Amino acid sequence: MQSQKLSRRHFLQRTALFTTGALLASCTGVPGQSQEAAVDEGTSPPEEPIELVALYWSTRPEFIEDREILARRMTEKFPQVQASQNSVPSGQYGEKVLTMIAGGTPPDTLQLNFRWEPFFRGQNALLDVVPFADVDADFSFEDFYPLLVELGTHEGKLFNMPRGWNPFVIYYNRALFHEAGLDDLPTTWDNDTWTWDSFLEAAQLLSVDTDGDGRIDQYGMFFPYWYPFLLLNGGDVLTDDEQTSALDSSESLEALQFLADLRLKHHVSPSPAEIEGLGGPQDLFIAGRVAMFTAGAWGIGALTRVDGLDWEVGPLPRVAGKSPVGYTQYYGHGIPQGVQSTEWSWEYLKVISDEESNRTVAQTIGDVPAMKRIAESEAFAGLPKPPTRQVFIDSASYIKVWPTIAPITEIMDGIIRPELDLAFLGEQTVEDAVATTGPKVDMLLAEYWESR
Amino acid sequence: MRTRQAVGKAIEDAGIGKRRRMSSIARKEALAGYLAISPWLLGFLIFQLVPILAAFYVSLTEWRILTTPEFIGLRNYDKLLFEDDLFWQSIKVTVVYVIFRVPFSAMLSLALAMLMNQQLAGRRLFRTIYYLPAVIPLVAVSMMWIWIFNPDYGVLNSGLRLFGIDGPQWIFSSRWALPALIIMSLWQVGAGMVIFLAGLQGIPTHLYEAALIDGATAWQKFLRITLPMLSPVILFALVMNVIGSFQVFTQAYIMTRGGPGNATLFLVLYIYRNAFEWFHMGYASALAWLLFLVVLVISLALLRSSGRWVHYEGRIGGV
């Protein structure tokens, strides 16, 4: 008994010593690493061996596959380069980038979009790539959709080199359409038949209680995104000068009311509870529980993998008497401040944005390539499924985008979404929701403009 | 010189020197003690105390990580106290949660512990079953409760339907979302049960025997023996529960994202949003410090009040 006690004490003492030692050792390890990185900073000439990392968000397998291809091509192109990709979960992307930059070890290139480009630009964390492009004979901005170049540019500086875009369309189940006696959707944006009225009519015909239990089993439509509908009706979240809220304009209110009615009055769209029980929009669509849904080009990737599903895409419905409107999300890549070698970052960025990379993105992920020529070629438009791919590309003439003002995430997620959620649940009117958000948005904007 | 020696001898005679000799052993023991706790102590100093103090400085600045922190004095505190509706909403949500969750879960844990303290067949099995939910990661638990609370397909409303009750929308309703999370939290009373059970088993049986001889009823035994003897454990459970309840985050983050509306916007979730979604580190730090102060004040108040109702055996008097 006695000896047992002693040995336990000794054991604890040794454990304590060991742990302390290990802790101290691990503490000293960190500065050593960062010193190594600091030596490399800004000094490595292109001839010496170098490791390059491109940072991306999302860890879905087709995304990783895409990025591995780019890293391999970069490594093959330059013998002294060891290039790799680092994909982090979407929810942690901002934290990850900020930590890497703040820690003095920024990635050599980083993915950017309508959300992150304004944010990092606002923190002076991005390099303007125009000076690199100007002196590089191999490179030209001519190849890209001018709109995407424009969206990546701010005050003459380009921070976000475009790679792909995701125009929103209506995905629809042709079998269910034909069952309901509906024709295929038009394939042009500038048409006179596919309006909010015919859209609602179709949704009503497609909402069916198939087993007669008094509950709808098949819904006409599902709208995971409300913002495009605002734009379709000529409304928006902010005024054009981004000084105040524009959610209380008649166009905005009308659009939001239309969406609320889809669910609450016409019962053609499932409630959040039903969605939660059945899965995401694509799952519902594949299961035949919704006949239409809105999404970007990423829907192609998932739907082409399902056998026996007869689906197509059509344009977003326009409002009668108003011009057609398209909506897109877009992304590209940039170079953060403080990279080990701006020359090498530029080279990697060029591979990520080049013609072959544009072909890859259409095949692996399914997004529309940022280069017009590639988007309209066999690499994207010419792929067999769905045959109406041109709808994505044609939206370019009517495109509108998410606001790029820096505090937009806070405005949308912190102020507007909670109130609209309640309106779409029927717990308050659309007018009340908008009236609550207005002053808060105005206050936040005032604070933002004042701080600049 | 001589006097000094004399004094030294006198001190030695008085036994002070003896105590000094003992103190070298004590010092050794103290050293071993500190060494033993040093991993924790170092961890606390480096990874907790320093960041806590740094956070206080950050709370006086406007800092977005890559920009240099700009000192703005108490403006963050001014904003959150007088301008920010969401802060007050998050305080309201959190306090309501604490007020309902803490007493309910304490009562339930105690009831369960007393049940598990009986000579029941298979009580070991029951103890394990009741404790099990406390071991399962909260993320998994949350995913499961999303299904339980589903108004159309969930177990809960299906059960209510058997009795002809049309159940509420639970986490999809701004009125029921917070009660739903409170109900869910009661599922994990097993952790409290174990603590109470340990407390119950520490109560000497002779007290109950004496009460039996005096003809006390079961209720009197509970009121006069069990509760007072258990009061230190109750205090501990209360303090830990209050602290834990103020820090609730995971359920709301996974199940409701703070909604619908802001019905489940807990304070810690609001801190997280400010820090890692909108990157207002200064403001988030101010919120965190406020949470710290609130929890500190309530914990101190609980400890202060304990003099009046907590009974420590072997201590005379109540105060």
Side-chain angles (χ1 to χ4, degrees):
Chain A
M1 194 65 197
Q2 181 69 14
S3 66
Q4 207 179 1
K5 255 186 187 166
L6 269 173
S7 76
R8 186 186 295 164
R9 184 188 294 166
H10 278 140
F11 170 73
L12 286 174
Q13 279 176 348
R14 272 175 211 158
T15 315
L17 268 171
F18 178 75
T19 320
T20 319
L23 196 74
L24 287 171
S26 67
C27 285
T28 50
V30 178
Q33 279 167 7
S34 65
Q35 261 171 2
E36 271 170 27
V39 173
D40 275 346
E41 203 165 88
T43 54
S44 55
E47 292 77 24
E48 284 175 17
I50 189 164
E51 285 181 23
L52 300 173
V53 179
L55 196 71
Y56 307 84
W57 63 77
S58 182
T59 52
R60 273 164 46 186
E62 68 267 30
F63 285 35
I64 307 264
E65 183 196 334
D66 174 67
R67 295 149 189 183
E68 292 288 356
I69 293 172
L70 298 177
R72 207 161 49 233
R73 282 187 45 223
M74 181 69 192
T75 306
E76 280 163 10
K77 191 172 171 187
F78 301 98
Q80 67 272 50
V81 168
Q82 188 60 48
S84 63
Q85 61 91 20
N86 184 359
S87 297
V88 295
S90 306
Q92 291 152 28
Y93 187 70
E95 274 171 79
K96 179 78 180 176
V97 174
L98 288 173
T99 319
M100 287 177 91
I101 296 178
T105 52
D108 297 285
T109 71
L110 82 171
Q111 194 177 2
L112 296 167
N113 65 357
F114 56 95
R115 176 181 176 187
W116 292 116
E117 185 270 323
F119 174 71
F120 291 122
R121 173 178 23 96
Q123 300 229 40
N124 296 325
L126 301 175
L127 277 185
D128 176 16
V129 298
V130 172
F132 297 99
D134 283 347
V135 294
D136 195 320
D138 308 339
F139 185 83
S140 162
F141 286 117
E142 303 277 295
D143 299 330
F144 298 98
Y145 279 98
L147 175 80
L148 297 179
V149 175
E150 197 183 302
L151 285 168
T153 308
H154 193 77
E155 291 169 0
K157 295 173 179 169
L158 187 123
F159 301 104
N160 184 7
M161 180 85 89
R163 177 154 190 242
W165 54 301
N166 265 303
F168 276 47
V169 295
I170 300 270
Y171 289 81
Y172 68 101
N173 185 321
R174 278 183 82 209
L176 296 180
F177 260 59
H178 293 170
E179 236 170 68
L182 291 161
D183 293 332
D184 283 346
L185 294 188
T187 52
T188 57
W189 289 77
D190 198 5
N191 69 77
D192 295 324
T193 51
W194 188 231
T195 61
W196 280 22
D197 294 331
S198 55
F199 166 68
L200 175 60
E201 215 171 288
Q204 281 172 321
L205 284 171
L206 290 160
S207 299
V208 199
D209 172 13
T210 48
D211 57 8
D213 68 347
R215 291 207 307 205
I216 293 170
D217 309 288
Q218 176 196 307
Y219 282 98
M221 105 78 92
F222 178 29
F223 61 98
Y225 304 88
W226 52 268
Y227 184 65
F229 283 85
L230 217 58
L231 300 175
L232 286 172
N233 199 38
D236 207 333
V237 166
L238 307 178
T239 50
D240 286 343
D241 59 5
E242 297 186 322
Q243 296 283 342
T244 52
S245 163
L247 219 47
D248 57 353
S249 71
S250 60
E251 292 88 356
S252 300
L253 280 170
E254 211 176 83
L256 294 173
Q257 192 62 54
F258 179 76
L259 289 177
D261 287 348
L262 283 182
R263 185 182 284 160
L264 301 168
K265 188 169 149 195
H266 305 299
H267 306 288
V268 297
S269 188
S271 69
E274 288 167 307
I275 295 156
E276 186 78 62
L278 295 169
Q282 283 164 18
D283 303 312
L284 286 161
F285 185 78
I286 291 167
R289 303 297 290 267
V290 293
M292 297 183 272
F293 75 104
T294 50
W298 63 78
I300 300 174
L303 297 185
T304 39
R305 289 185 176 90
V306 184
D307 289 330
L309 186 70
D310 187 9
W311 61 281
E312 270 295 347
V313 298
L316 299 175
R318 62 189 286 192
V319 176
K322 295 186 181 177
S323 29
V325 173
Y327 172 73
T328 193
Q329 294 182 352
Y330 56 93
Y331 65 93
H333 299 83
I335 304 175
Q337 296 276 7
V339 289
Q340 46 178 332
S341 154
T342 51
E343 290 84 2
W344 277 123
S345 288
W346 169 247
E347 289 298 338
Y348 204 174
L349 188 65
K350 259 167 55 185
V351 167
I352 291 172
S353 322
D354 70 7
E355 206 176 299
E356 200 173 330
S357 160
N358 269 253
R359 285 181 215 283
T360 311
V361 78
Q363 270 154 18
T364 50
I365 304 174
D367 296 335
V368 187
M371 287 184 176
K372 193 162 186 251
R373 190 158 37 87
I374 309 297
E376 288 172 355
S377 76
E378 290 301 299
F380 181 84
L383 291 177
K385 213 173 170 186
T388 43
R389 277 173 177 252
Q390 195 63 32
V391 172
F392 291 102
I393 295 169
D394 290 347
S395 73
S397 320
Y398 312 102
I399 244 34
K400 287 190 178 179
V401 293
W402 188 258
T404 54
I405 190 168
I408 190 65
T409 308
E410 204 175 335
I411 291 173
M412 291 290 203
D413 289 351
I415 301 175
I416 296 176
R417 191 177 49 80
E419 297 301 330
L420 283 188
D421 278 353
L422 292 182
F424 293 152
L425 282 172
E427 289 194 22
Q428 67 176 347
T429 63
V430 165
E431 283 83 4
D432 284 348
V434 168
T436 315
T437 62
K440 292 182 186 172
V441 173
D442 291 351
M443 199 168 94
L444 200 148
L445 285 172
E447 222 172 83
Y448 168 73
W449 287 113
E450 198 183 310
S451 72
R452 281 173 59 87
Chain B
M1 199 62 181
R2 189 164 290 182
T3 24
R4 212 176 274 175
Q5 272 173 354
V7 172
K9 194 164 187 319
I11 290 171
E12 218 173 320
D13 285 347
I16 296 170
K18 207 174 172 188
R19 205 183 294 163
R20 195 195 288 160
R21 238 181 290 137
M22 270 190 69
S23 82
S24 80
I25 296 171
R27 222 185 296 137
K28 247 187 182 168
E29 281 188 347
L31 192 70
Y34 283 123
L35 204 64
I37 61 164
S38 63
W40 180 85
L41 202 62
L42 283 174
F44 174 75
L45 289 175
I46 297 167
F47 297 115
Q48 291 195 17
L49 192 64
V50 170
I52 287 171
L53 295 176
F56 180 68
Y57 171 72
V58 171
S59 79
L60 303 175
T61 66
E62 158 77 31
W63 183 41
R64 313 211 66 195
I65 301 183
L66 295 185
T67 50
T68 33
E70 182 195 341
F71 188 81
I72 55 167
L74 293 173
R75 214 186 302 160
N76 281 330
Y77 292 92
D78 186 54
K79 184 184 164 193
L80 69 86
L81 287 176
F82 301 110
E83 287 171 27
D84 190 353
D85 295 348
L86 284 183
F87 165 70
W88 288 108
Q89 170 68 14
S90 70
I91 285 282
K92 195 178 106 190
V93 169
T94 311
V95 167
V96 169
Y97 181 81
V98 171
I99 285 175
F100 282 95
R101 193 242 160 149
V102 171
F104 278 147
S105 79
M107 280 189 277
L108 217 62
S109 311
L110 182 57
L112 266 181
M114 291 183 61
L115 207 61
M116 291 301 114
N117 204 26
Q118 308 294 315
Q119 297 294 333
L120 292 172
R123 66 174 176 166
R124 274 166 183 277
L125 182 71
F126 282 118
R127 279 181 195 173
T128 313
I129 289 173
Y130 282 116
Y131 188 65
L132 215 54
V135 188
I136 302 172
L138 207 46
V139 176
V141 172
S142 301
M143 298 307 285
M144 187 186 76
W145 279 88
I146 288 177
W147 281 94
I148 293 177
F149 282 130
N150 190 289
D152 300 314
Y153 312 97
V155 169
L156 196 55
N157 275 6
S158 302
L160 289 173
R161 233 169 271 139
L162 291 180
F163 298 99
I165 302 167
D166 200 12
Q169 292 287 305
W170 296 114
I171 54 173
F172 300 100
S173 141
S174 64
R175 183 182 297 176
W176 283 97
L178 187 56
L181 294 188
I182 293 169
I183 292 171
M184 176 190 155
S185 74
L186 298 183
W187 193 63
Q188 296 193 310
V189 293
M193 177 196 78
V194 171
I195 296 171
F196 282 129
L197 199 56
L200 283 173
Q201 290 178 346
I203 301 175
T205 46
H206 66 250
L207 294 176
Y208 290 109
E209 283 160 9
L212 195 69
I213 292 166
D214 287 347
T217 61
W219 176 244
Q220 281 172 323
K221 279 196 273 185
F222 172 73
L223 217 58
R224 299 295 166 86
I225 300 173
T226 312
L227 270 188
M229 293 301 286
L230 210 56
S231 55
V233 180
I234 294 175
L235 174 69
F236 170 77
L238 272 185
V239 172
M240 297 310 283
N241 232 329
V242 164
I243 295 173
S245 301
F246 265 104
Q247 295 176 341
V248 62
F249 168 78
T250 315
Q251 300 94 304
Y253 179 70
I254 290 175
M255 295 171 69
T256 59
R257 305 282 304 162
N262 289 309
T264 54
L265 182 71
F266 291 100
L267 188 49
V268 176
L269 181 61
Y270 189 49
I271 294 173
Y272 174 83
R273 289 227 171 121
N274 271 289
F276 300 111
E277 286 181 12
W278 308 330
F279 301 100
H280 293 303
M281 289 296 164
Y283 196 64
S285 301
L287 285 167
W289 261 83
L290 219 91
L291 171 66
F292 170 68
L293 289 180
V294 169
V295 172
L296 186 73
V297 166
I298 294 181
S299 303
L300 283 178
L302 266 176
L303 290 173
R304 261 287 170 81
S305 79
S306 70
R308 267 178 247 135
W309 58 274
V310 174
H311 167 84
Y312 290 103
E313 216 183 351
R315 204 169 67 174
I316 298 161
V319 185

